Amino acid sequence: MMIGLSEILELGLPLVLDPSVLLLAVVGTLTGLFVGAMPGLSSVMAMAILIPLTYRMSPQQAFGLLLPAYAAGTFGGAISAILLNIPGTGAAIMTTYDGYPMAQRGQAGYAIGLSCVYSFVGGIASAVFLAAFAPIVAHWAIRLGTREYFAVAVFGLAVISYLSSSLIKGLLGGALGLLLATVGMDVFTGVSRFTFGRAELAGGLEFVPVMIGVFGLGEILHTVDAGTREGAQLPQKIGRMLPELKHVLRCIPTAIRAIVVGMFIGIIPASGPTIGAVASYGLEKRIGKRRDQMGTGVPEGIVASETANNAGTGAAIVPMITLGIPGDAVTAVLLGALMLHNLRPGPALFTQRMDVVASIFILFFLGNILFLVFGLLGAKFFVRVLKTPQRILLPIVAALCFIGAYAARRSVFDVHVLVLFGVFGFLIRKIGITPAPLILGFILGPIVESNLRRGLITTGGSVSAFFARPVSALLLTLTLVLLFSPLLIRLAQRLHSALQRQPGKGASD
Amino acid sequence: MRHYFNSFTVTGIGALLIAAFVGRYLTNIPFAPLRAGLGPAFFPTVVAVLIGTLGVLSVGVGVAQARKQPHKTDVQPLRWRSALLIAAVVLYSLGMQYVGLLVSTAVFLFVAMIALGVRLRHAALATAAASAAIYVVFDVMFRIRLF
Amino acid sequence: MKKLIVLSIALAVLLSANVWSRGEPEPEVAFPTREIEIYVGFAAGGGTDVLARRIAEGMEPELGVPVIIDNRPGAGGLVAVQQVVNARPNGYTLAIILGNQFLQKHFKQADAWMDPLTEVTLIGVFNRDAWGIAVPVDAPYDTFSEFVDYARNNPGLPVGSGPPGTLYYWTWQAVVAHTGIDLTIVPYEGTALSLSAAAGEEVVAAGAGPGEAASLMDAGLVKMIGVAAEERVSVFPDIPTFREQGFDIVIGPWRGLVGPAGLPDTVRDRLANALENAYNSQRFQDFIREQGHGPFFRGPEDGMGFFREEDTFFFDLMDAQGQAR
């Protein structure tokens, strides 16, 4: 079952080419860019802000607002990742690895331009894929279950430990993240773990305050501390805005790999775009042309991360629109938007309301074009942030982190969580532990634990059953290969060199 | 003792403390057999063991490193300005439920800027502008009620 | 220089002038005079959020002030309700309450809970959904009674539910208690996940409302073998109730509107009146029918009777399992 392009254009275009829809698409794009780029506000937040506005709109107007915001928000996360080393959204964590070093070298504009172009490429690729194969893919994806979710999350964790520059500290960061993820009521027994009687913790630690605490506030405290010591400054040079064509072209092989990885992982329900970006970055580090320079500020690193996370956006919409199964928190809001308009996702939508389906495809496409335009035009203004004196900029960014932590669920408690993790994030930086493995452990921990336990319950305690299904077998085999071959070699090498290396270099960043 | 103070020993001791705390906390939480999904204590226990093991390894690496270079440390000491900023942040978060989010944010902005060495006049202007912008964007535009 | 400090602080204070308004006593007469906030313990765009927004929209014309929804997700709705428990009882801060809050009250394992019978003022219950059972489309049973027979011959079948602190877990326990069949209840983080597990045949059945399962039914991946409602759900007339099939199981998630304990009667009645009008509006009725939500209304007084029934029901259910506090 494939949907014809002509059918989409014929039914969808007249609806989308309404001035009000186009205007809303621009508003949605700008909101998505702004919210995505703000440290402390995620694309889920963009959706939460916008959805109440859509209650009295037509479906086309509602999706005209929401879909471009989703696409732009996913790209927007890269902006603060590059400029401030604070990922605007979870999916942009890997973008900090190369984006921030580039900005420090005065290539902030270039880095933003590049992530904009390749976010667009990833988004469009997944939109085309979405339009062409949605129903087939969705029926494949629905067969995936507990064991595949477990495998993909374990795979993500393996990639992250593989990426850590100091193995011991990287693994420790990841393990701490896993531990933080166990806070809250146990899904299987209702037993409270580490909640200390607080209702706010019953559902676990909120993602936003933990992430912007460790990444945002922790980074700010670290910068202030480093600044007072060495007089170090945030990058002040901006550099050229638009990436040169030859640099863009050079990254095409990377982008193709990222699209494949991002879509494959994005289509597995409940995985979201973060694991896709991690896996893509890991793949690049393993087989990419410049694998040895990854993490020092090479364009391939940004492309691997940004192409993959945007390729995941279209893929996450597939199960939502065809079967009513949301792929992540953002698509869950989109599902709510469909319901609000009395539209029920599923095959009936494709037969009875093809106009809606067609306009969703076109608007998603349009959203990607819009953020490309606004992203490239706006790059100049975004990097101007760096012209603000650090002494004024940093307190303001910190204040935005506070407000963001509060805003996610209007909770003062979450501001306390933010501060706690901000100080924690600052202290771990002092001993050379990076935040990325910690946050990824925190994101992936519940997926690993729940699906491991659920898999054991549904299969009557069979461990081999995890290898009995092709996708999980593939991912788990890849995990074992990734973990054991290079890890043992690295472990041996590192123990060896740690004993010989001069102190002071022993702490890796 | 001083020369054992490096990032690996500090990391390792921190990890061991966390593992010990978790181990103690988990004594009241049950395990379950494999076919019942191992129970709520299983996963945190595995993680705590992992953290503890890594802690021991880290202390080992740190001690070995300290033996090689006894008088150097790679742990960056805390500067007074950072300590001041941390204090401001903590005070901010504790005070906000009494004086309100916007007031405490404005006070925080001002204090932090002064602490970082911004001139009074500039700090006041920047604080006023940033507070107003935060209010307009969040409360008015996004309808997220700040208090 | 000092003047500037004072000035900037004064400016910030002005911006947050509403801080101080909290301290003023509310006048007894003339309610409402400003906007009313309803805390919803679930994220924007979810089923409860959408229902709450529809009902809030319907209350506005009657009250003449904006009624705004404030999402404060956490702990199955408890975070939002608890914040209202601690709010001033003036009618301007309300929350949506669910059956989950009764479950948490009695559930031995829950360490954070409140008592809906004493700690809130009920304004009204405005919806009750049918819970039902969705099974893979080629499962060897088409009705609930066939399912029960099948389960009797195959003890320990895995069925998808919610976590133990939620209604969708105890609905399965109610089925077990009523029929005496032996099931392995497998908790999932959400209904979407347990439904897709049923569609992917990871579990033999999943508990869900017909509205929630509708997309997968359309897709030909699951079928529903019964709903735990008093009568059939109007948009899904082909799904029989459990009662018709000889099992007296009526259970389902409901939503109510509450304020802090000690809400003055005049304020409560004014709000209850607005709630009832909103509920009866054509727009709301059309909405719940089309979305497969169940109609159900109880005012402040008969609502308390309903609350007490729910309280006893959940206590007995948990007590029988040795899970009650």
Side-chain angles (χ1 to χ4, degrees):
Chain A
M1 179 160 68
M2 269 176 73
I3 305 148
L5 181 66
S6 59
E7 195 186 357
I8 291 179
L9 292 177
E10 202 177 306
L11 284 166
L13 265 189
L15 294 167
V16 172
L17 289 177
D18 170 332
S20 72
V21 174
L22 294 177
L23 183 69
L24 286 167
V26 171
V27 172
T29 304
L30 293 176
T31 313
L33 276 179
F34 178 76
V35 170
M38 285 285 224
L41 299 182
S42 61
S43 33
V44 183
M45 193 72 215
M47 293 288 150
I49 290 166
L50 292 176
I51 200 170
L53 307 178
T54 65
Y55 286 76
R56 289 178 179 83
M57 293 179 182
S58 74
Q60 281 73 31
Q61 289 171 327
F63 283 100
L65 188 64
L66 294 172
L67 287 169
Y70 178 32
T74 308
F75 155 66
I79 296 173
S80 63
I82 291 167
L83 295 180
L84 302 167
N85 204 17
I86 303 171
T89 59
I93 289 175
M94 303 316 291
T95 311
T96 60
Y97 276 46
D98 286 280
Y100 187 62
M102 279 183 78
Q104 281 180 311
R105 285 205 305 263
Q107 295 177 312
Y110 174 25
I112 291 180
L114 198 68
S115 58
C116 190
V117 170
Y118 276 101
S119 292
F120 168 77
V121 169
I124 291 295
S126 76
V128 169
F129 182 74
L130 163 75
F133 302 109
I136 302 170
V137 167
H139 279 81
W140 176 75
I142 197 82
R143 311 296 306 184
L144 305 178
T146 292
R147 288 169 273 173
E148 283 82 6
Y149 303 168
F150 169 76
V152 76
V154 166
F155 178 65
L157 281 179
V159 174
I160 269 297
S161 13
Y162 168 73
L163 290 174
S164 310
S165 40
S166 159
L167 189 63
I168 290 183
K169 290 175 180 175
L171 285 174
L172 249 177
L176 283 175
L178 293 178
L179 187 64
L180 293 174
T182 63
V183 172
M185 258 182 15
D186 175 33
V187 176
F188 295 87
T189 58
V191 170
S192 291
R193 299 185 298 195
F194 310 106
T195 56
F196 310 104
R198 298 294 304 234
E200 293 94 335
L201 287 176
L205 285 162
E206 276 288 293
F207 174 67
V208 169
V210 172
M211 184 181 104
I212 59 179
V214 175
F215 263 110
L217 192 56
E219 178 70 21
I220 291 164
L221 293 172
H222 177 72
T223 310
V224 168
D225 193 56
T228 53
R229 182 176 16 259
E230 294 141 18
Q233 286 288 304
L234 276 178
Q236 298 283 327
K237 275 187 296 174
I238 287 170
R240 52 175 296 135
M241 274 325 127
L242 295 183
E244 276 176 59
L245 192 63
K246 66 172 188 211
H247 286 133
V248 172
L249 295 179
R250 199 181 76 190
C251 296
I252 287 178
T254 308
I256 292 172
R257 289 191 284 267
I259 287 170
V260 173
V261 172
M263 282 198 304
F264 174 69
I265 293 187
I267 218 129
I268 300 175
S271 65
T274 311
I275 308 181
V278 171
S280 164
Y281 192 94
L283 183 72
E284 195 60 24
K285 176 125 184 165
R286 191 100 174 94
I287 66 168
K289 217 171 184 176
R290 296 195 174 198
R291 52 181 172 266
D292 300 329
Q293 287 155 279
M294 294 280 284
T296 60
V298 288
E300 282 84 354
I302 295 180
V303 172
S305 168
E306 282 301 308
T307 314
N309 68 28
N310 284 275
T313 55
I317 294 180
V318 171
M320 187 278 286
I321 190 175
T322 47
L323 301 173
I325 303 293
D328 59 12
V330 181
T331 39
V333 180
L334 290 174
L335 181 67
L338 275 175
M339 304 266 200
L340 260 176
H341 290 95
N342 280 339
L343 296 166
R344 185 195 303 161
L349 195 67
F350 284 73
T351 51
Q352 293 155 16
R353 294 302 300 272
M354 193 53 206
D355 57 321
V356 173
V357 176
S359 54
I360 287 177
F361 289 151
I362 295 175
L363 285 166
F364 184 70
F365 217 89
L366 178 69
N368 277 282
I369 295 170
L370 282 174
F371 84 66
L372 178 71
V373 173
F374 284 105
L376 289 178
L377 287 178
K380 191 175 351 201
F381 299 101
F382 304 140
V383 290
R384 200 159 287 170
V385 165
L386 298 183
K387 289 273 185 204
T388 315
Q390 190 191 29
R391 296 177 291 194
I392 291 178
L393 180 65
L394 290 182
I396 292 177
V397 176
L400 289 174
C401 290
F402 297 138
I403 308 279
Y406 171 77
R409 50 175 195 173
R410 322 286 197 271
S411 164
V412 176
F413 180 83
D414 285 344
V415 181
H416 296 163
V417 172
L418 164 87
V419 168
L420 184 73
F421 281 96
V423 175
F424 182 70
F426 169 66
L427 293 177
I428 59 169
R429 278 177 175 81
K430 282 208 162 290
I431 51 175
I433 295 177
T434 41
L438 191 138
I439 294 302
L440 285 159
F442 183 65
I443 296 175
L444 299 178
I447 309 180
V448 173
E449 183 188 5
S450 284
N451 289 298
L452 171 66
R453 290 168 67 188
R454 194 175 294 131
L456 289 172
I457 295 171
T458 50
T459 61
S462 161
V463 176
S464 59
F466 282 87
F467 286 90
R469 310 232 297 191
V471 173
S472 67
L474 170 72
L475 288 167
L476 289 175
T477 310
L478 278 176
T479 304
L480 291 176
V481 169
L482 195 65
L483 271 184
F484 285 101
S485 62
L487 221 71
L488 285 178
I489 299 166
R490 274 164 52 115
L491 186 68
Q493 278 173 350
R494 273 180 188 277
L495 275 176
H496 183 67
S497 61
L499 294 172
Q500 292 187 342
R501 206 185 298 168
Q502 294 176 353
K505 282 188 177 172
S508 53
D509 42 11
Chain B
M1 267 330 271
R2 201 183 181 301
H3 55 263
Y4 284 117
F5 185 75
N6 64 36
S7 76
F8 279 95
T9 49
V10 173
T11 303
I13 290 166
L16 287 172
L17 288 175
I18 291 171
F21 167 77
V22 173
R24 211 184 124 67
Y25 185 93
L26 290 175
T27 49
N28 302 324
I29 294 182
F31 282 91
L34 192 68
R35 55 171 299 123
L38 299 165
F42 170 73
F43 193 72
T45 305
V46 170
V47 175
V49 168
L50 179 64
I51 290 177
T53 313
L54 289 167
V56 171
L57 279 177
S58 187
V59 169
V61 172
V63 167
Q65 212 177 71
R67 291 241 165 94
K68 290 258 176 208
Q69 298 277 331
H71 300 296
K72 282 190 174 173
T73 178
D74 58 351
V75 178
Q76 301 155 355
L78 196 68
R79 300 285 149 150
W80 69 270
R81 274 195 183 184
S82 335
L84 205 68
L85 196 64
I86 290 176
V89 166
V90 172
L91 276 178
Y92 163 86
S93 77
L94 294 179
M96 69 180 281
Q97 48 202 332
Y98 303 106
V99 297
L101 184 65
L102 275 165
V103 180
S104 54
T105 302
V107 172
F108 165 80
L109 280 171
F110 189 74
V111 171
M113 285 181 199
I114 297 293
L116 293 178
V118 180
R119 293 222 309 267
L120 264 185
R121 181 194 299 262
H122 292 163
L125 278 175
T127 299
S131 307
I134 285 173
Y135 177 78
V136 169
V137 169
F138 285 87
D139 202 299
V140 179
M141 282 172 63
F142 290 169
R143 308 200 71 192
I144 295 166
R145 293 294 128 122
L146 305 178
F147 63 94
Chain C
M1 272 304 143
K2 276 207 175 129
K3 270 184 201 160
L4 269 169
I5 304 176
V6 175
L7 201 75
S8 66
I9 292 175
L11 200 85
V13 171
L14 271 179
L15 287 175
S16 60
N18 53 348
V19 173
W20 312 112
S21 63
R22 287 190 306 183
E24 291 162 14
E26 300 298 332
E28 277 286 319
V29 283
F31 172 87
T33 55
R34 56 183 167 91
E35 68 180 25
I36 294 171
E37 286 183 302
I38 299 179
Y39 294 175
V40 173
F42 297 87
T48 303
D49 174 71
V50 172
L51 268 165
R53 286 183 193 274
R54 285 289 186 218
I55 205 84
E57 168 193 83
M59 288 171 73
E60 280 181 355
E62 166 82 19
L63 293 168
V65 294
V67 181
I68 59 172
I69 295 296
D70 198 336
N71 301 93
R72 297 171 182 237
L78 178 65
V79 168
V81 178
Q82 224 165 37
Q83 285 177 351
V84 163
V85 167
N86 297 325
R88 290 168 54 82
N90 54 20
Y92 292 104
T93 315
L94 310 173
I96 300 294
I97 193 169
L98 284 84
N100 284 354
Q101 272 71 66
F102 285 99
L103 285 162
Q104 285 155 343
K105 175 187 164 191
H106 294 305
F107 187 39
K108 200 164 64 179
Q109 303 285 15
D111 67 351
W113 51 281
M114 46 80 60
D115 186 356
L117 291 181
T118 57
E119 293 185 58
V120 293
T121 305
L122 176 62
I123 294 160
V125 178
F126 58 89
N127 143 264
R128 183 175 192 171
D129 289 342
W131 177 82
I133 295 177
V135 299
V137 77
D138 44 10
Y141 30 78
D142 287 314
T143 62
F144 182 64
S145 34
E146 285 172 26
F147 173 75
V148 171
D149 290 340
Y150 183 81
R152 269 194 228 290
N153 298 327
N154 301 275
L157 291 173
V159 294
S161 86
T166 65
L167 189 75
Y168 277 15
Y169 178 86
W170 290 99
T171 44
W172 275 117
Q173 291 287 9
V175 167
V176 169
H178 195 88
T179 59
I181 54 178
D182 174 21
L183 298 171
T184 304
I185 301 175
V186 187
Y188 285 79
E189 281 86 351
T191 312
L193 281 175
S194 68
L195 271 172
S196 56
E201 296 179 21
E202 186 171 292
V203 289
V204 302
E212 295 169 305
S215 298
L216 287 173
M217 282 196 275
D218 288 348
L221 290 167
V222 301
K223 59 189 178 191
M224 290 205 79
I225 56 171
V227 285
E230 309 211 350
E231 47 196 70
R232 294 189 179 199
V233 180
S234 59
V235 272
F236 302 99
D238 300 335
I239 308 171
T241 66
F242 292 153
R243 237 178 219 178
E244 292 170 42
Q245 306 182 48
F247 299 90
D248 188 19
I249 307 170
V250 175
I251 192 168
W254 48 264
R255 282 97 179 171
L257 184 65
V258 296
L263 206 61
D265 282 355
T266 51
V267 171
R268 184 195 69 176
D269 293 345
R270 182 111 172 74
L271 288 167
N273 197 25
L275 182 70
E276 188 159 8
N277 284 343
Y279 173 82
N280 287 324
S281 71
Q282 196 58 46
R283 197 170 150 81
F284 187 76
Q285 287 299 322
D286 286 348
F287 172 74
I288 55 172
R289 198 182 55 248
E290 282 162 29
Q291 289 297 313
H293 285 303
F296 187 83
F297 190 84
R298 293 285 184 276
E301 259 117 49
D302 26 328
M304 277 318 283
F306 173 72
F307 263 27
R308 275 187 285 273
E309 281 168 30
E310 288 285 295
D311 195 54
T312 322
F313 178 78
F314 286 128
F315 177 80
D316 292 347
L317 191 57
M318 288 182 170
D319 198 33
Q321 302 278 322
Q323 294 281 6
R325 196 190 300 279

